[in-house]
Amino acid sequence: MRYLSRVSGPFIDRIDLQIELPRLSSVELQSTTAEETSAEVRARVEAAYAIQLKRQGKVNARLNNKEMSLYCELPAAELQFLARASEKLALSPRSYHRVIKVARTISDLKGAPN
């Protein structure tokens, strides 16, 4: 938190995803469960990239507001949820639109139409 307080809000606002990773337990560290390989992740990313280019001719991050309304349409319930979250978290317009673009990208990575 001390480090983040040194970074300007507008700069942080341009980072699409910020996640906090909890400390792993010793059991998790010693796990031998097979994880997704880098090649598998790469294949999913390439497939999502191809979906985006086919659908709109560019990646989701480059969509303008008009294009977002065409390719990132949200159902009413999700729009209401996003509006409440936007108010509660005091999201900037840039952050609001980034949330929608990231959600569209997650759907593309999963191969989901919406």
Side-chain angles (χ1 to χ4, degrees), residues 74-89:
L74 294 172
E78 282 77 5
L79 278 174
Q80 286 180 337
F81 178 80
L82 182 56
R84 287 192 310 271
S86 178
E87 292 292 323
K88 185 174 182 177
L89 300 171

Side-chain angles (χ1 to χ4, degrees), residues 4 8-9 11-21 95 102:
L4 284 177
S8 74
F11 179 76
I12 288 179
D13 201 33
R14 285 171 172 76
I15 300 172
D16 292 348
L17 291 176
Q18 299 174 41
I19 59 171
E20 185 176 325
L21 297 174
S95 293
V102 168

Side-chain angles (χ1 to χ4, degrees), residues 21-60:
L21 297 174
R23 181 179 294 257
L24 295 175
S25 70
S26 59
V27 172
E28 291 170 315
L29 288 172
Q30 296 170 358
S31 174
T32 58
T33 304
E35 299 292 335
E36 190 173 28
T37 66
S38 294
E40 291 168 331
V41 172
R42 180 184 181 112
R44 279 194 306 117
V45 170
E46 287 174 346
Y49 183 80
I51 288 169
Q52 293 169 24
L53 292 181
K54 183 178 179 185
R55 181 179 55 236
Q56 66 229 9
K58 60 176 106 175
V59 296
N60 295 335

